[in-house]
Amino acid sequence: MSSQTAASSAPLKVHLISDSNVDAIGQYLANEKSALQLSVSSSPFGQVFRALLEPDPAEGQDFGVVWTSPEIILPTFARALEYAPIDEDQLFSEIHEFAECLRKAQNRFRAIFVVSWTLPRFIRGNGLLSLKGQGIRKLLLKINLKLSEELEACSSIYLLDAQRWMEAAGKDSCSAKLWYMTKTRFHPEVFRRAASDVRAAISAVLGASKKLVIVDLDNTLWGGVVGDLGWQNVRLGGHDYLGEAFLDFQRALKALSRRGVLLAIASKNEESVALEAISKHPEMLLRADDFAAWRINWNDKAANIAELTEELNLGLQSAVFIDDNALERARVREALPEVYVPEWPEDPTLSASYLLELDCFDSAYTTSEDAARREMYAASKQREVVRKTVGSADEWLLTLGTEVLVEEFSDSNR
């Protein structure tokens, strides 16, 4: 599921570095019709270290994608695949050398995306012993972890999880025949999935991640129409497979909010009835305090969404709208094209998985402010309530308890 990003004035330049033929990912990146326009170049495959250490002075690339195979980039791992005894310290030394080359190359790019190491599923390894001792699959886990640790402190180098692409492509993700014929290791579906993740990664680095999820209530956050059934009878939690599915969807939303994504409601309902369900239903995981704002009324949802983003001081391009009703989704897409409206399954058991698969919330970094954003909006909402209850602006300002610290300008507070 692709994210939406703001258009740039000129295509961003992506440079591919690999030890195999990855032209297919370049075609997917360059040819997809999207607001994010990319132009793609590549170094000759099989010259990874040279491409990292001896850059073309005329390159001027924005982003780098480095895709290698562990048995090629790490000679010791290649010996392990032949079941020869290996020195793991030597293996880790080779990973350090590779990571050092990546660190030296990072100043040439806004960001470098390094593809994690995988093996074809037909390499069974040591069978029962693959996750013991120096078993092949255990070593694969170790080298990926070591590479991750080596790159942890590099603020502009990110490791992409290629195993997800292999699983999505299925048993034919790696093709021995393609390798012998064209030195291409992977099925086109792997490259398509990889291109989607690279696009999401670029969007995250550019700061285009979505910051707000606006959800419907009836048959989206819970099962049934609360105005007809009463809050006691909506399907949520309990010994009910659909109730469990709605609860897991709420759990996934809650997890997003902990990552700094704001939650809001746009629902055609009686506000008092809906809020009663949110506050009183014993299985309700999301309560009123979890939502930064809401519009629960009978007005046009597109108008309500525009009001919500204005209230929260966010652009429409920061919002995602989720609704089980296809007509409502179509209305918002037409009226507010900047809002991302993903297709949504009719089957509620798929809702949590659809949400978890969205790439538009990917972020290149996290801050303490991200985690505290919901609390900041809740505090702001409470201040507004207090402001409306006191007699004057001066009295309201006194209730805020604001403290002002004055200090000299310095490098530390710049």
Side-chain angles (χ1 to χ4, degrees), residues 3 54 66 75-76 95 122 139 143 147 149 152 170 195 207-208 235 255 260 264 276 279 337 340 351 364 393 408 412:
S3 57
E54 301 177 13
V66 180
T76 300
I95 296 171
F122 54 73
L139 283 178
I143 63 176
L147 182 61
E149 292 171 345
E152 182 72 29
R235 302 182 76 171
E276 184 181 28
S279 65
Y340 180 34
S351 293
E408 292 184 2
S412 64

Side-chain angles (χ1 to χ4, degrees), residues 67-68 114-119 144 159-169 173 186 190 193-194 197:
W67 197 335
T68 62
V114 182
V115 178
S116 66
W117 287 315
T118 61
L119 286 174
N144 274 309
L159 202 59
L160 301 183
D161 182 10
Q163 189 60 39
R164 292 177 59 254
W165 314 335
M166 307 301 161
E167 293 169 359
S173 57
F186 307 108
V190 173
R193 296 272 180 168
D197 270 11

Side-chain angles (χ1 to χ4, degrees), residues 191-259:
F191 290 116
R192 189 185 71 80
R193 296 272 180 168
S196 178
D197 270 11
V198 169
R199 280 182 166 273
I202 291 173
S203 295
V205 170
L206 296 176
S209 304
K210 303 303 181 185
K211 300 176 177 63
L212 170 66
V213 180
I214 303 172
V215 294
D216 175 44
L217 294 177
D218 293 334
N219 293 311
T220 300
L221 213 58
W222 54 61
V225 178
V226 69
D228 296 339
L229 301 174
W231 64 263
Q232 302 92 334
N233 298 310
V234 297
R235 302 182 76 171
L236 182 63
H239 300 291
D240 172 16
Y241 80 99
L242 282 182
E244 290 181 5
F246 284 113
L247 191 60
D248 277 345
F249 177 59
Q250 290 195 22
R251 187 170 287 112
L253 286 170
K254 183 87 169 182
L256 270 182
S257 73
R258 293 192 182 104
R259 290 167 52 185

Side-chain angles (χ1 to χ4, degrees), residues 284-342:
M284 188 77 186
L285 184 63
L286 296 172
R287 299 296 186 181
D289 287 347
D290 290 296
F291 297 99
W294 56 75
R295 290 293 185 276
I296 305 174
N297 52 41
W298 299 102
N299 299 339
D300 175 42
K301 285 193 178 181
N304 281 337
I305 290 170
E307 289 181 9
L308 284 168
T309 55
E310 183 177 5
E311 176 183 333
L312 297 173
N313 198 29
L314 292 170
L316 290 169
Q317 74 280 359
S318 298
V320 177
F321 174 57
I322 295 174
D323 195 310
D324 69 293
N325 190 315
L327 292 177
E328 296 286 10
R329 296 197 302 269
R331 163 61 183 158
V332 173
R333 282 196 195 100
E334 181 180 1
L336 304 172
E338 291 176 272
V339 174
Y340 180 34
V341 186

Side-chain angles (χ1 to χ4, degrees), residues 78-135:
R79 289 195 294 276
L81 285 176
E82 298 172 354
Y83 306 104
I86 64 165
D87 181 348
E88 289 193 20
D89 288 339
Q90 175 61 31
L91 178 62
F92 292 157
S93 176
E94 292 165 5
I95 296 171
H96 176 78
E97 180 184 353
F98 177 54
E100 188 62 27
C101 291
L102 291 168
R103 285 189 283 267
K104 289 178 180 178
Q106 67 180 322
N107 292 333
R108 294 159 42 203
F109 301 94
R110 188 180 301 190
I112 296 177
F113 307 116
V114 182
V115 178
S116 66
W117 287 315
T118 61
L119 286 174
R121 65 183 298 276
F122 54 73
I123 295 183
R124 183 172 173 79
N126 315 63
L128 286 177
L129 301 179
S130 275
L131 290 171
K132 285 181 174 288
Q134 290 189 343

Side-chain angles (χ1 to χ4, degrees), residues 13-18 20-27 39-47 51 56 59 61 63 65:
K13 298 178 181 179
V14 179
H15 190 66
L16 307 177
I17 299 173
S18 180
S20 63
N21 184 352
V22 293
D23 286 349
I25 188 178
Q27 294 170 9
S39 66
V40 181
S41 61
S42 60
S43 295
F45 70 80
Q47 300 181 23
D56 181 345
E59 275 182 0
Q61 308 299 330
F63 299 97
V65 177

